[in-house]
């Protein structure tokens, strides 16, 4: 990663480092499908709030938030970037997230620490595949949302169709708080349904909004949609329900307060519109972020557990509470070392503070604290509750670790990331780079939990594993650009898995006698298939002390490692419950090593008898094509073993949703383009692992 630049803090920026009331803090993310305009929205927000004085553009490669060379060259966001700005005496901490499915881990860890989000939707395409994925991620972390329908000035833009796709595809209660004034080339403003005023945008971004009366032609539509807004709020807000049923006249402030409560409770989603590229709709969006998205005080306190896992500990967002923070991102900087991004949930952290890392069980000292603005930094002396900051000096802290006051140890739920689905072999072009490559791969794994590395025991090559071809391609480019290591890469390989289909009992006995003290380990294990996605589970059913307690953990470790090294077909075995139920030991010769080897032997002996099957990653693929090419598309998908799930029509286009094996998708982009004269678009995301058909599995095992 390029160096984080030190900057001179201006008086305006210095004001943001001072204390600000908790109710005036907003921690939000900008999330969406790729190319919906997330980064453009963020750039316009920064300009309107005075954080930047020159408007950055994605197409020109000048976006402040897309600071990596690869981001500017490709025109996409690869790494989530954090920044802070002020609006209407409020501090808004913003994380701009990637839209491409290969970098979904960046979205996952960002949403984990946010209170609210702005979901950007394309007014032409509506809700797209990646929009659904980020929506589910936000649901998982109970993040309150506002929808911003972008690109209202494009041909084919349809505000109301987009609202219907929000309701049908996302299952959300979408409540428009604005109506567009005009559409496509005639888009010139919005009508505020709460204040009942027309807001007309000027071509000059510096010019204020022109507030006008609602045009006569729009009065009927405004009355209809305002009534719709009030009805939805009354259904989802008990405070507003009674005056509504009594027929009382509701003021704008009544509606705003009810909307804020409903948004914080995740019951409704306000929908706004604009054109970020032209700077239209950004000021009303900023007002909505302040008015409707929750502060740290408006969401329930984050609940952790004590290190034993027996007691829950709520961490209230107060500066007077003991410190509790979650590390959600690691950045390796060549000059500063490791930068740890963290969300402070309670208490105040000062430079030099010593905190307990409960995940590692070690104390660490905060070196310096920074407020981040993309790849720039501003030094802080204190990070208050509700802040999102970066720290240096935490050498042992990783993504998902909890940092807290030693006086109140607490453990937050860690962040779960999807397993990699694609791998490729790499080796340094120069032998002198071999040791350096190992160090560089360690840094990249430290930064990105969805990127993994392992050694191929047969070839001795390093295998890098990621979420897709683009993910691995970006990592290889980073090795060359940031660390000056050029590597040779093999062809991408699908990350197949194995799973067992029947329960078996297996014995592992390891005995070595060398004249002096020997080695003795003996264990009986039961291997049982688990539910798909359950992963590895271990059950201790040893009774009567036939195996001492100190050897149980190494039995678990030996079983886990044996499953990871691969089953009969050579692929890692997943979704297995291992139960240790019997065994024996020798008072002198037994050791941890002996029992670990015995456990591994028991697993290896039992796997062939458990009737293992091969699993392959299945991808969720969505294709948008002109309707005349629908037949060709379906024919190609059927040849690739795809299962068609739905076919929808949208104007002159057809949207095909299907599930397809990852191994059948190589070269699919070129094939689809040739079948549609280059007019098709597609998105793909990981869905789940499924059993490989017997005929295909036979070919794979032979190869």
């Amino acid at each position: 990663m390029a160096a984080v630049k030190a900057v001179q803090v201006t008086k305006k920026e210095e004001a943001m480092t001072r204390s600000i009331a908790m109710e005036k803090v907003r921690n939000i993310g900008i999330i969406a499908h790729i190319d919906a305009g997330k980064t453009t929205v963020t750039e316009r927000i920064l300009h309107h709030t005075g954080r930047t004085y020159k408007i950055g553009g994605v197409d020109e490669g000048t976006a402040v938030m897309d600071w990596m060379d690869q981001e500017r060259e490709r025109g996409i966001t690869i790494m989530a970037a954090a920044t802070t700005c002020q609006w209407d005496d409020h501090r808004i901490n913003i994380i701009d997230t990637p839209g491409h499915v290969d970098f979904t881990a960046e979205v996952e860890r960002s949403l984990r620490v946010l209170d609210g989000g702005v979901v950007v939707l394309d007014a032409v395409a509506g809700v797209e595949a990646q929009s659904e994925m980020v929506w589910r991620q936000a649901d998982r972390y109970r993040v309150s949302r506002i929808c911003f329908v972008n690109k209202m000035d494009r041909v084919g833009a349809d505000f109301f169709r987009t609202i219907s796709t929000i309701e049908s595809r996302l299952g959300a209660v979408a409540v428009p708080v604005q109506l567009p004034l005009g559409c496509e080339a005639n888009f010139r403003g919005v009508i505020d349904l709460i204040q009942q005023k027309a807001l007309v945008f000027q071509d000059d971004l510096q010019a204020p909004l022109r507030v006008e009366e609602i045009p006569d032609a729009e009065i009927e539509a405004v009355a209809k949609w305002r009534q719709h807004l009030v009805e939805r709020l009354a259904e989802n807000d008990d405070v507003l329900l009674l005056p509504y049923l009594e027929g009382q006249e509701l003021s704008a402030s009544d509606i705003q307060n009810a909307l804020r409560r409903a948004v914080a409770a995740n019951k409704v989603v306000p929908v706004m519109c604009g054109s970020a590229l032209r700077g239209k709709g950004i000021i009303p969006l900023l007002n909505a972020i302040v008015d409707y998205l929750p502060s740290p005080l408006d969401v329930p306190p984050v609940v952790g557990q004590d290190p034993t896992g027996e007691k829950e500990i709520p961490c209230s967002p107060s500066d007077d509470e003991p410190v509790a923070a979650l590390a959600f991102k690691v950045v390796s900087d060549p000059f500063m070392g490791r930068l740890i991004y963290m969300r402070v949930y309670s208490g105040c952290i000062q430079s030099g503070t010593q905190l307990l890392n409960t995940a590692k069980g070690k104390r660490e000292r905060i070196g310096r604290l920074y407020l981040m603005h993309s790849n720039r930094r501003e030094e802080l002396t204190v990070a208050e509750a509700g802040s999102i900051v970066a720290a240096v000096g935490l050498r042992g802290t990783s993504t998902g670790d909890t940092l807290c006051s030693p006086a109140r140890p607490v453990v937050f739920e860690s962040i779960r990331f999807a397993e990699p689905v694609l791998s490729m072999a790499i080796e340094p072009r120069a032998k002198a780079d071999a040791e350096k490559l190992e160090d560089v791969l360690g840094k990249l794994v430290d930064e990105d939990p969805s990127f993994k590395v392992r050694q191929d025991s047969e070839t001795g090559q390093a295998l890098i594993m990621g979420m897709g071809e683009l993910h691995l391609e970006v990592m290889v480019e980073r090795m060359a650009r940031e660390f000056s290591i050029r590597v040779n890469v093999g062809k991408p390989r699908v990350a197949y898995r194995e799973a067992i289909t029947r329960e078996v009992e297996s014995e592992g006995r390891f005995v070595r006698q060398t004249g002096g003290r020997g080695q003795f380990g003996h264990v009986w294990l039961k291997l049982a298939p688990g539910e798909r996605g359950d992963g590895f589970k271990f059950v201790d059913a040893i009774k009567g002390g036939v195996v001492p307690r100190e050897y149980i953990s190494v039995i678990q470790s030996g079983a886990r490692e044996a499953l990871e090294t691969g089953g009969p077909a050579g692929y890692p075995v997943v979704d297995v419950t291992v139960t240790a139920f019997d065994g024996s030991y020798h008072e002198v010769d037994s050791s941890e090593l002996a029992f670990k080897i015995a456990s591994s032997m028991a697993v290896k002996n039992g796997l062939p008898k458990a009737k293992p099957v091969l699993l392959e990653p299945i991808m969720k693929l969505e294709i948008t094509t002109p309707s005349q090419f629908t037949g060709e598309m379906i024919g190609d998908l059927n040849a690739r073993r795809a299962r068609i799930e739905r076919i929808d029509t949208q104007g002159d286009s057809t949207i095909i949703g299907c599930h397809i094996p990852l191994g059948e998708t190589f070269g699919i982009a070129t094939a689809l383009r040739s079948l549609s004269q280059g007019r098709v678009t597609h998105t793909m995301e990981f869905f789940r692992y499924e059993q490989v058909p017997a005929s295909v599995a036979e070919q794979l095992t032979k190869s």
Side-chain angles (χ1 to χ4, degrees):
M1 174 171 288
V4 176
K5 303 172 185 174
V7 298
Q8 184 177 358
V9 180
T10 65
K11 288 185 178 180
K12 185 163 189 175
E13 292 168 332
E14 189 180 49
M16 285 188 285
T17 68
R18 297 196 196 108
S19 178
I20 190 166
M22 186 82 68
E23 62 269 17
K24 293 191 174 184
V25 173
R26 302 288 182 272
N27 292 314
I28 68 164
I30 312 294
I31 55 179
H33 182 91
I34 189 170
D35 205 31
K38 297 176 305 303
T39 301
T40 304
V41 168
T42 308
E43 294 292 324
R44 297 307 183 269
I45 286 175
L46 295 178
H47 180 71
H48 279 290
T49 57
R51 196 68 168 93
T52 58
Y53 299 98
K54 182 181 178 183
I55 300 176
V58 175
D59 294 336
E60 295 81 16
T62 57
V64 174
M65 303 304 282
D66 285 349
W67 58 271
M68 290 177 66
D69 290 340
Q70 290 188 67
E71 292 178 315
R72 292 180 170 178
E73 289 169 6
R74 297 172 185 270
I76 62 171
T77 301
I78 293 172
M79 297 187 72
T83 188
T84 301
C85 58
Q86 283 190 324
W87 183 256
D88 193 22
D89 294 327
H90 287 67
R91 177 188 294 170
I92 306 175
N93 298 319
I94 302 174
I95 297 181
D96 177 33
T97 64
H100 197 285
V101 64
D102 281 17
F103 309 105
T104 187
E106 291 288 314
V107 184
E108 186 81 26
R109 59 179 166 193
S110 299
L111 288 173
R112 173 68 173 80
V113 297
L114 295 173
D115 303 319
V118 176
V119 182
V120 182
L121 301 171
D122 188 320
V124 179
V127 173
E128 299 172 87
Q130 188 65 9
S131 307
E132 287 189 68
M133 186 172 184
V134 298
W135 194 274
R136 290 196 302 271
Q137 289 172 303
D139 279 341
R140 187 157 59 248
Y141 296 117
R142 297 182 294 279
V143 175
S144 302
R145 276 146 280 175
I146 288 174
C147 284
F148 181 75
V149 181
N150 192 25
K151 304 185 181 182
M152 283 297 301
D153 54 350
R154 279 187 61 197
V155 174
D158 191 328
F159 179 70
F160 300 104
R161 185 182 68 219
T162 302
I163 289 173
S164 70
T165 61
I166 294 172
E167 294 178 328
S168 61
R169 296 190 64 172
L170 304 178
V173 180
V175 289
V177 294
Q178 296 175 347
L179 297 183
L181 262 179
C183 197
E184 299 181 349
N186 296 320
F187 178 68
R188 60 191 180 91
V190 297
I191 298 172
D192 188 325
L193 293 177
I194 298 175
Q195 301 294 340
Q196 299 189 84
K197 294 289 183 181
L199 307 177
V200 180
F201 305 125
Q202 308 295 310
D203 291 333
D204 181 4
L205 292 181
Q206 306 301 328
L209 290 174
R210 201 167 68 235
V211 182
E212 299 179 355
E213 295 301 318
I214 299 171
D216 292 341
E218 303 289 345
I219 289 177
E220 186 176 337
V222 168
K224 169 191 167 186
W225 284 102
R226 193 173 197 270
Q227 181 64 22
H228 175 269
L229 168 62
V230 173
E231 287 176 357
R232 290 292 177 270
L233 288 177
E235 291 170 2
N236 292 280
D237 183 72
D238 295 338
V239 178
L240 195 72
L241 180 59
L242 186 59
Y244 170 74
L245 293 175
E246 292 176 348
Q248 296 181 23
E249 184 66 29
L250 299 174
S251 66
S253 62
D254 291 334
I255 297 174
Q256 281 184 324
N257 292 335
L259 187 56
R260 179 174 178 77
R261 290 190 296 269
V263 170
N266 268 316
K267 293 182 177 179
V268 302
V269 179
V271 184
M272 313 178 73
C273 62
S275 171
L277 188 62
R278 309 283 177 239
K280 297 179 178 180
I282 300 301
I283 290 177
L285 176 61
L286 276 165
N287 292 332
I289 290 170
V290 166
D291 290 341
Y292 305 130
L293 288 181
S295 73
L297 294 173
D298 297 321
V299 296
V302 174
V303 177
Q305 293 186 321
D306 70 343
T308 65
E310 296 176 355
K311 185 175 71 173
E312 290 189 342
I313 302 174
C315 298
S316 302
S318 168
D319 295 340
D320 299 326
E321 288 263 317
V323 171
L326 180 71
F328 68 93
K329 182 178 172 71
V330 177
V331 173
S332 296
D333 182 84
F335 301 107
M336 296 182 61
R338 298 173 81 244
L339 267 176
I340 309 295
Y341 285 70
M342 56 186 178
R343 163 73 187 267
V344 184
Y345 284 106
S346 66
C348 287
I349 302 176
Q350 294 183 332
S351 299
T353 302
Q354 195 174 66
L355 298 176
L356 174 65
N357 183 331
T358 48
K360 305 291 193 302
K362 297 180 180 178
R363 295 194 181 198
E364 296 212 64
R365 182 180 174 276
I366 299 284
R368 291 188 297 270
L369 292 166
Y370 295 101
L371 195 65
M372 299 304 297
H373 177 48
S374 187
N375 63 326
R376 300 166 62 205
R377 67 182 190 273
E378 297 156 17
E379 191 163 352
L380 298 171
T381 56
V382 61
E384 300 154 333
S387 309
I388 293 177
V389 296
V392 294
L394 304 170
R395 295 183 180 179
T397 299
S398 305
T399 299
D401 287 357
T402 304
L403 295 164
C404 62
S405 168
R408 187 189 66 177
V410 62
V411 181
F412 292 133
E413 181 184 355
S414 192
I415 309 170
R416 295 183 63 183
F417 298 99
E419 287 295 311
V421 295
L422 210 61
S423 68
M424 65 168 60
I426 65 166
E427 60 184 17
R429 293 182 185 175
K431 288 185 178 180
D433 287 338
E435 284 188 20
K436 189 178 175 184
L437 176 62
E438 188 175 337
D439 180 56
V440 167
L441 289 174
K443 289 180 179 179
L444 294 176
V445 169
D446 191 30
E447 284 188 18
D448 187 349
S450 64
F451 176 71
K452 295 188 177 179
V453 179
R454 71 177 177 87
Q455 291 294 125
D456 190 315
S457 57
E458 294 181 6
T459 65
Q461 288 178 307
L463 290 179
I464 58 173
M465 296 174 283
M467 302 305 297
E469 291 181 82
L470 179 61
H471 189 196
L472 296 178
E473 184 183 322
V474 165
M475 287 302 187
V476 170
E477 279 191 34
R478 288 190 62 193
M479 292 178 209
R481 294 188 182 200
E482 297 172 24
F483 303 100
S484 301
I485 293 185
R486 302 197 174 275
V487 296
N488 296 320
V489 300
K491 291 183 179 180
R493 294 174 53 192
V494 177
Y496 292 101
R497 299 283 187 266
E498 292 182 68
I500 60 175
T501 57
R502 59 176 289 187
E503 184 177 301
V504 296
E505 293 181 356
S506 180
E507 180 186 22
R509 179 187 290 269
F510 179 70
V511 182
R512 290 289 184 274
Q513 201 66 44
T514 57
R517 178 178 174 178
Q519 296 282 0
F520 182 90
H522 176 220
V523 65
W524 276 92
L525 301 180
K526 183 186 296 180
L527 310 181
E531 293 294 323
R532 194 69 65 236
D534 277 358
F536 171 77
K537 292 183 179 179
F538 181 80
V539 178
D540 174 17
I542 298 288
K543 295 180 180 178
V546 293
V547 176
R549 307 304 305 165
E550 62 263 28
Y551 297 136
I552 300 301
S553 61
V554 294
I555 292 173
Q556 177 179 351
S557 177
R560 183 194 297 273
E561 289 180 13
L563 292 171
E564 289 175 352
T565 55
Y571 299 104
V573 184
V574 297
D575 306 328
V576 179
T577 299
V578 176
T579 304
F581 66 92
D582 200 1
S584 61
Y585 75 103
H586 189 281
E587 289 188 1
V588 176
D589 292 347
S590 287
S591 66
E592 289 188 352
L593 176 63
F595 271 98
K596 187 173 184 179
I597 295 174
S599 175
S600 178
M601 292 172 65
V603 170
K604 292 294 185 182
N605 294 337
L607 285 175
K609 297 182 289 184
K611 293 190 175 179
V613 294
L614 206 58
L615 304 178
E616 63 183 344
I618 303 296
M619 309 302 286
K620 184 177 180 182
L621 175 66
E622 186 173 284
I623 296 171
T624 303
T625 176
S627 296
Q628 64 263 39
F629 303 116
T630 302
E632 290 89 337
M633 294 294 157
I634 292 176
D636 185 76
L637 292 172
N638 287 334
R640 295 174 183 269
R641 295 196 287 126
R643 295 195 307 271
I644 308 296
E645 300 292 324
R646 64 184 181 88
I647 300 177
D648 299 329
T649 56
Q650 190 179 94
D652 296 332
S653 298
T654 299
I655 300 171
I656 304 170
C658 66
H659 294 146
I660 183 170
L662 176 62
E664 303 287 350
T665 64
F666 296 132
I668 194 171
T670 303
L672 294 179
R673 280 197 296 268
S674 65
L675 288 172
S676 64
Q677 299 173 12
R679 296 166 63 190
V680 71
T681 60
H682 75 283
T683 58
M684 191 161 56
E685 64 179 273
F686 174 72
F687 178 54
R688 67 184 180 194
Y689 273 91
E690 290 183 3
Q691 184 173 340
V692 177
S695 58
V696 179
E698 187 177 346
Q699 294 176 4
L700 289 171
T701 50
K702 283 180 181 178
S703 61

